[in-house]
Amino acid sequence: MKRNTLFIVLSILLAILLIGVSVLFYMEKQTNKELTEEFQLEKEDLENQYADFSKQYDELKMTVTNDSLSVLLEQEQLKTQRLLEELRTVKSTNATEIRRLKNELATLRKVMVGYINQIDSLNRLTAYQKEVIADVTKKYNAASQQISTLSEEKKSLNQKVTLAAQLDATNIVVTPTNKRGKVAKRVKDITKIKISFTLAKNITAETGEKTIYLRITKPNNEVLSKSSSNTFNYENRQLEYSIKKYIEYTGEEQTITVYWDVEEYMEAGTFRIDIFADGNLIGSKSAVID
């Protein structure tokens, strides 16, 4: 009787112990499952953070124009991508490696913050430099415009001074004469063409020896000339002259008379007289000779 009772008691105790061990085993298994799921979620979250972090480098590189800084950003991005690949190969239960990679990410974040601050400083500096350059460019353009205006004014003034200093031939009179020195009444009687004119007073003109050139153009537009080598320079071209006269100019009013000896056939019509000095046309006159 006692043996049966003891056996029953031991059986009950053993059953209770088995039930307790089973419960503990189940609870531990459930806990391990939850931990595994938690580690997996943590790993996936860390992978997402690494992936987002790598994309941030792409965005940063688009805001950078400094080549050296672009190279550093590229290196950090490659490092991030390498760590992401490591993370993907690590088991979710490997807490040590996951913790290490999590710490690496924290370090990368600090480095990125440093780069962001540096880029921000560079952008502010670049913006300031652009403002300075824009201001300098504005001042330079204004100065250039002022210089250009002054240059145009100087050019205009020089032109006015040049014109003011230019000799002026006035009172041009053309008289055809016969062999007796009288006014020729017919073209066939003309032996000389007398041309007289006045050089006006000009205190701004350069004084000294001057060479006066006269061109006599016939009605058929031919220039009267004793030789084809009788030429002078005018506006970068050589013109034939009829008469060359040397004078001493004093700046005061001066009357000059020259003669053309008629040795060629003369036809009636309108003759033109052009007078030049110092490379300038200083007077012209048209005269009808019948």
Side-chain angles (χ1 to χ4, degrees):
M1 182 74 180
K2 289 182 178 180
R3 276 187 169 187
N4 291 335
T5 303
L6 181 61
F7 178 77
I8 293 172
V9 170
L10 288 175
S11 297
I12 293 171
L13 289 174
L14 183 59
I16 292 172
L17 180 61
L18 288 173
I19 292 171
V21 170
S22 298
V23 170
L24 288 174
F25 179 76
Y26 174 78
M27 290 178 64
E28 184 179 358
K29 185 178 180 181
Q30 192 66 26
T31 301
N32 288 337
K33 181 181 178 183
E34 291 176 357
L35 286 174
T36 301
E37 291 177 352
E38 185 177 341
F39 288 153
Q40 183 63 34
L41 289 173
E42 184 178 3
K43 180 186 175 185
E44 290 176 0
D45 181 61
L46 194 58
E47 287 180 6
N48 291 334
Q49 290 185 56
Y50 266 105
D52 291 340
F53 204 66
S54 181
K55 291 179 181 178
Q56 289 180 38
Y57 275 110
D58 284 327
E59 295 173 359
L60 273 180
K61 287 190 293 184
M62 292 177 64
T63 64
V64 173
T65 57
N66 184 286
D67 292 339
S68 299
L69 190 54
S70 293
V71 171
L72 292 174
L73 289 173
E74 181 70 23
Q75 291 175 352
E76 288 299 316
Q77 185 179 31
L78 290 174
K79 182 178 179 180
T80 301
Q81 291 171 347
R82 178 174 56 79
L83 290 172
L84 175 58
E85 291 304 316
E86 284 186 30
L87 177 61
R88 285 171 176 166
T89 60
V90 172
K91 291 182 178 181
S92 59
T93 55
N94 192 338
T96 302
E97 275 299 295
I98 291 177
R99 190 180 303 110
R100 180 183 69 82
L101 292 170
K102 195 171 185 178
N103 291 335
E104 288 279 6
L105 182 61
T107 302
L108 290 175
R109 287 191 188 282
K110 290 180 182 179
V111 173
M112 176 175 276
V113 169
Y115 282 132
I116 290 173
N117 291 334
Q118 188 175 350
I119 292 169
D120 187 52
S121 296
L122 285 173
N123 287 340
R124 286 200 301 269
L125 179 61
T126 301
Y128 173 72
Q129 288 174 335
K130 286 181 179 179
E131 289 179 5
V132 172
I133 291 171
D135 184 55
V136 171
T137 302
K138 183 179 179 181
K139 290 179 179 178
Y140 172 79
N141 290 337
S144 297
Q145 182 61 40
Q146 186 176 9
I147 291 171
S148 177
T149 301
L150 290 174
S151 178
E152 288 298 320
E153 290 177 356
K154 181 181 178 182
K155 183 179 178 181
S156 177
L157 181 61
N158 287 339
Q159 289 175 342
K160 290 179 181 178
V161 171
T162 300
L163 289 173
Q166 183 176 304
L167 298 181
D168 187 21
T170 61
N171 302 321
I172 302 171
V173 178
V174 181
T175 306
T177 62
N178 56 29
K179 59 184 179 180
R180 292 189 300 275
K182 303 295 183 180
V183 177
K185 296 183 179 180
R186 295 180 297 179
V187 173
K188 67 177 185 176
D189 296 330
I190 298 173
T191 58
K192 289 181 183 295
I193 298 177
K194 176 184 176 182
I195 304 169
S196 62
F197 57 93
T198 300
L199 288 180
K201 180 179 179 178
N202 191 335
I203 59 174
T204 62
E206 184 179 352
T207 59
E209 186 178 273
K210 304 281 185 182
T211 303
I212 308 296
Y213 296 96
L214 289 89
R215 275 168 57 94
I216 304 172
T217 306
K218 298 194 295 183
N220 63 0
N221 291 324
E222 289 183 4
V223 177
L224 294 176
S225 180
K226 298 302 182 184
S227 171
S228 59
S229 64
N230 290 345
T231 61
F232 67 101
N233 185 59
Y234 177 68
E235 294 185 349
N236 298 319
R237 57 196 177 107
Q238 294 297 311
L239 296 181
E240 271 191 284
Y241 65 81
S242 306
I243 304 169
K244 179 167 70 173
K245 175 77 173 177
Y246 295 105
I247 66 166
E248 188 69 27
Y249 184 68
T250 62
E252 298 296 326
E253 185 176 283
Q254 186 174 348
T255 299
I256 298 171
T257 300
V258 295
Y259 295 89
W260 171 260
D261 293 324
V262 176
E263 298 173 346
E264 57 278 297
Y265 170 74
M266 296 289 286
E267 58 179 315
T270 301
F271 288 72
R272 180 180 174 83
I273 313 298
D274 294 306
I275 305 172
F276 300 83
D278 299 328
N280 300 308
L281 175 63
I282 63 173
S284 295
K285 174 78 173 185
S286 294
V288 178
I289 299 178
D290 297 325

